[in-house]
Amino acid sequence: MLDLKGVETFYGSIQALFGMSMHMEQGKVTTLIGRNGMGKTTTVSSIMGITPCRSGQITFLDSRIDGKPPYQVAQRGIGLVPEGRQIFPNLSVRENLLVTADNYAAGKSPWTLNRVIDFFPELQVRLNNMGNQLSGGEQQMLAIGRALMLNPLLLILDEATEGLAPLVRQEIWQCLNRLKESGMTILLIDKNIEELNRIADYHYIIEKGRVAWDGTPGTLQDNPELKTRYLGI
Ligand code: ATP
């Protein structure tokens, strides 16, 4: 579904990705893991066209998307739940959900406001509250709901459980499991390797802007030295 080949991305003169290559299959959960500052968010920003890559290729459903602006990448079917949630603070929950809603891929049972609220019942009573009046957990649910309202073919979540209370984290993991069961293709970045191992089909470990190791959760689990070397666990 998604292929990165030799992606190099810079912030001004500072290079952050040094030939990042990865592959994602439809209906699978793929992860990007690695220590802080290794290039996970930059990989996501490169896919989305937020920080366009300077060289390399990014292909989504057989079409090149490198060089496309973020709104076109989103229209092709990639939904982003960004690091830090990035909820519109001065829009209501309902407006946050509707502002970018669409069904570009013409899915037969699209996500709608009602379906998102069924999925996240906590948002029902908050529909008329402003984005900045929500708890961290509610904001995270809203960020996921907003991305789902785009009816993406691929959903990317960057640190979706960061900074949340343990019970709320559990709730987000359960939601992600339900999305996986529904057949959604997901790219996940998170620090909780145990949870990632439970949900993932395939892992990519990033070190200094390129893939240092890739493999299945079972292989990662059976090789504690990988976790020590690349993740400091
Ligand atoms: P984290 O878990 O801390 O978010 P990450 O793996 O997502 O880490 P990135 O945020 O992609 O890492 O950062 C990769 C490299 O790019 C780091 O060296 C970082 O300092 C650098 N970098 C990230 N954003 C910028 C920026 N806006 N300007 C300059 N350098 C940046």
Side-chain angles (χ1 to χ4, degrees):
M1 186 178 235
L2 179 75
D3 251 306
L4 275 70
K5 279 203 188 84
V7 169
E8 311 225 329
T9 302
F10 292 71
Y11 294 97
S13 59
I14 300 166
Q15 185 163 4
L17 295 186
F18 295 82
M20 176 67 199
S21 297
M22 63 177 291
H23 172 80
M24 281 193 65
E25 307 239 341
Q26 186 152 6
K28 304 283 185 197
V29 175
T30 307
T31 75
L32 285 179
I33 47 187
R35 290 191 178 95
N36 286 349
M38 290 300 165
K40 303 177 297 293
T41 297
T42 307
T43 301
V44 169
S45 307
S46 303
I47 295 169
M48 295 307 298
I50 297 167
T51 313
C53 58
R54 213 175 267 185
S55 59
Q57 297 185 359
I58 307 178
T59 310
F60 179 61
L61 295 172
D62 298 327
S63 299
R64 291 278 294 273
I65 56 167
D66 47 277
K68 302 263 178 261
Y71 76 91
Q72 285 186 13
V73 175
Q75 286 175 352
R76 282 172 188 233
I78 306 185
L80 174 64
V81 181
E83 190 172 26
R85 297 150 204 153
Q86 313 290 346
I87 291 305
F88 300 114
N90 51 351
L91 295 185
S92 69
V93 167
R94 184 194 304 275
E95 288 165 340
N96 265 282
L97 288 171
L98 292 175
V99 71
T100 54
D102 216 307
N103 185 11
Y104 296 105
K108 292 212 173 64
S109 48
W111 286 91
T112 58
L113 188 64
N114 285 341
R115 198 169 153 208
V116 167
I117 284 164
D118 282 347
F119 196 72
F120 294 118
E122 292 86 344
L123 295 181
Q124 170 82 61
V125 289
R126 298 300 231 158
L127 275 177
N128 295 318
N129 283 114
M130 303 308 260
N132 59 4
Q133 294 174 317
L134 306 183
S135 69
E138 288 165 344
Q139 282 189 21
Q140 193 59 61
M141 290 171 198
L142 180 55
I144 298 173
R146 183 180 57 183
L148 291 173
M149 290 290 284
L150 200 73
N151 283 288
L153 302 169
L154 161 63
L155 185 64
I156 303 179
L157 298 106
D158 191 353
E159 306 276 11
T161 63
E162 179 91 351
L164 300 179
L167 274 178
V168 186
R169 278 183 190 201
Q170 259 343 98
E171 217 173 316
I172 299 292
W173 284 114
Q174 281 163 15
C175 291
L176 297 181
N177 274 299
R178 281 192 283 150
L179 286 174
K180 176 182 177 163
E181 280 161 24
S182 76
M184 179 70 84
T185 309
I186 302 175
L187 178 60
L188 261 185
I189 297 176
D190 203 276
K191 296 208 166 59
N192 190 328
I193 302 301
E194 281 189 17
E195 289 290 354
L196 286 180
N197 250 354
R198 271 194 272 275
I199 193 172
D201 295 293
Y202 206 77
H203 294 305
Y204 284 89
I205 296 184
I206 304 195
E207 172 116 314
K208 296 185 183 150
R210 62 171 72 88
V211 172
W213 178 88
D214 60 291
T216 60
T219 318
L220 183 63
Q221 199 61 28
D222 293 343
N223 287 280
E225 73 278 9
L226 281 174
K227 292 195 229 173
T228 310
R229 191 185 330 158
Y230 294 119
L231 309 172
I233 303 173

